[in-house]
Amino acid sequence: MQRSKRFEILEQRPVNNDGFVTEWPEMGFVAMSSPNDPKPSVKVMNGRIVELDGKQREEFDMLDQFIADYTIDASVTEKVVAMDSVEIARKLVDINVSRGEVLDLTRGMSPAKVLEVLNHMNVVEMMMALQKMRARKTPANQCHVTNVRDNPVLMAADAAEAGIYGFDEQETTVGVVRYAPFNALALLVGSQTARMGILTQDSLEEATELRLAMLGLTSYAETISIYGTEPVFIDGDDTPWSKSFLASAYASRGAKMRFTSGTGSEVQMAGAEGKSMLYLEIRCIMMAKGAGVQGLQNGSISCIGIPASVPSGLRAVLAENLATTLFDMEVASGNDQTFSHSEIRRSAKMLTQMLPGTDFIFSGFSAVPNNEDMFAGSNMDSSDLDDYLIIQRDMMVDGGLKPVDEETVIEARYQAAKAMQAIFEELGFPVITDEEVEAATYANSSDDMPQRNVVEDLKAAERIIRDGISGFDVAMILAKRGYRQTSERIFNMLKQRVAGDYLHTSAIINGDNEVISAVNDENDYMGPGTGYRLSEKRWEEIKGIRQAISPKDFD
């Protein structure tokens, strides 16, 4: 058969390497509206919810029970669930209805009611609502800093560079789990070399992650996974109550934490029970609210390929971000895993979070090349930084980052690598050579770094846990070796742990060591002239891309 040359060209486009499937509701392959989703209903007796979304209390699974007992306000729920869902959807978009008024309604909504409201909204309406409903007025961004060799010198340098770009949170993980303490140390030192106040985490199994937080080597956690059906929750050896206990363990030790969930996870684990992805994610969101955590990392996260394969899937991802804000929680809104071969499609998805702004637009943006990203690659990586900065300038929108100059980045990378060299020498860890410092200063990836002795590094990394080497010890070493500024910044981060102010919803810490959160920077958007607006100083910063030339130079 003779082929259309135009179709042959189309078939070579990157988007046609993506996977797409038709809907299959029985197995959960439906984004926002399954015929098996329940209809909203609620009944209260003696101050207790005895019916929820078509189930009697004796039929509740553990998520139903937890949500009914700890999330939904039984004093208002019958009135709210009886309201017209279109009316509630319009209130979300209406600039004359405040965020606070909406929150008074959402505390009485059932999971099925939230789903029904969101199904009345298109993507633009959801973005309008998200601009109003995010908790913190000022948007921010988070990044990944990893490498395939778990090289601590390179990681510290990369963390310093990411800090210069303006990421307020930095996240790492490991290729080899025994490297975890080195990675936490590298991220701490590199980030604080760049500026004061950057929050860091080391994504690991939960016991090790908590131990590193208790040592003061990390300052937050988010990869504490929850799920929307009971079988999948049990498959992870957890319950809503056990996750709530873990959350309290972090908070009681001054460490910020949020849960992680996302559309498609139940499908991926063959436990969707025929429900839509968004319905199950709303159950996760409401469970997180009941547990009392600061917020949620969602936006499908590592399951993004599943909603992205079905109709309205990326709309569902935006809807889950919005649903999180409806319950007055911070949202780290995904964009953290590559899902498409198409740069157009990846950018279009990202803009639904960037343009309205979220607490953390990426969670996170890969500050390293994607082949170095041990989270399986982000929606954007270090090669996309210029594009992202120029989009900020094109749209006059704050995406949480700022233009940088090469000289400043090189100096920060060098200082971070030298600081790690001093720490390793003081602790008797395997030597970081001047050659490694030089390589890390200018490197793009692990390929540019000399090989280290993995066996000796792993022995040294284990000493951090065994000997209880803490953030305070690191600060003292750096002060002794002349790295006073980085030392003071680390010490100030430890003081923040004692004060606990950054445990408030949507908290970040700025370069002046001031906590900015939903408490002192509450989103008050109610249309033009309200909410977050670029200051003159911030706009000048965003405009100052290195590629811009002055027309006056051609006079």
Side-chain angles (χ1 to χ4, degrees), residues 306-322:
I306 295 174
S309 71
V310 300
S312 194
L314 296 186
R315 173 173 168 250
V317 172
L318 173 60
E320 67 181 284
N321 295 152
L322 173 58

Side-chain angles (χ1 to χ4, degrees), residues 30-276:
V30 59
M32 293 182 62
S33 183
S34 169
N36 302 310
D37 288 336
K39 301 300 181 185
S41 72
V42 70
K43 186 175 181 180
V44 178
M45 292 182 62
N46 300 318
R48 190 184 195 204
I49 294 173
V50 296
E51 178 189 321
L52 182 64
D53 293 341
K55 287 184 184 179
Q56 300 302 308
R57 191 169 184 94
E58 54 269 23
E59 301 174 290
F60 286 1
D61 64 18
M62 63 185 182
L63 274 88
D64 295 321
Q65 182 182 339
F66 193 89
I67 290 167
D69 291 348
Y70 299 110
T71 306
I72 300 173
D73 185 341
S75 69
V76 300
T77 185
E78 289 180 319
K79 178 181 177 181
V80 172
V81 171
M83 288 179 64
D84 181 1
S85 294
V86 174
E87 180 187 350
I88 297 174
R90 288 173 177 166
K91 288 179 182 293
L92 288 176
V93 178
D94 190 344
I95 63 173
N96 298 302
V97 178
S98 71
R99 178 175 179 271
E101 291 175 73
V102 174
L103 293 176
D104 285 340
L105 295 175
T106 55
R107 62 192 176 96
M109 292 170 71
S110 71
K113 188 66 173 181
V114 178
L115 180 69
E116 190 172 83
V117 169
L118 293 174
N119 267 298
H120 287 299
M121 302 175 73
N122 63 34
V123 166
V124 175
E125 290 161 348
M126 288 181 191
M127 291 168 70
M128 292 169 66
L130 184 55
Q131 181 172 223
K132 177 169 76 176
M133 293 308 300
R134 76 167 179 268
R136 188 183 62 246
K137 183 188 300 187
T138 307
N141 223 325
Q142 181 203 116
C143 69
H144 293 163
V145 180
T146 66
N147 63 71
V148 295
R149 294 186 196 164
D150 292 318
N151 185 302
V153 196
L154 177 61
M155 190 169 294
D158 284 336
E161 180 171 348
I164 297 296
Y165 272 101
F167 290 101
D168 286 298
E169 289 187 349
Q170 297 186 11
E171 178 184 20
T172 192
T173 190
V174 294
V176 177
V177 70
R178 289 165 61 196
Y179 264 121
F182 268 11
N183 289 16
L185 173 63
L187 210 62
L188 174 67
V189 172
S191 64
Q192 300 307 308
T193 297
R195 77 157 176 87
M196 186 184 300
I198 297 172
L199 302 176
T200 60
Q201 72 151 319
D202 196 349
S203 177
L204 308 157
E205 59 84 19
E206 291 159 1
T208 304
E209 197 166 348
L210 181 58
R211 291 181 73 183
L212 291 171
M214 291 170 65
L215 287 171
L217 296 175
T218 60
S219 46
Y220 80 102
E222 72 179 1
T223 49
I224 315 300
S225 298
I226 58 174
Y227 304 97
T229 63
E230 186 173 280
V232 176
F233 227 126
I234 292 172
D235 191 52
D237 296 323
D238 270 308
T239 71
W241 290 268
S242 66
K243 289 295 188 183
S244 300
F245 180 81
L246 179 61
S248 69
Y250 277 96
S252 66
R253 288 154 178 84
K256 175 180 178 176
M257 82 93 74
R258 51 181 169 258
F259 288 154
T260 288
S261 58
T263 47
S265 61
E266 298 82 12
V267 179
Q268 189 159 288
M269 298 178 73
E273 299 180 344
K275 306 299 193 299
S276 70

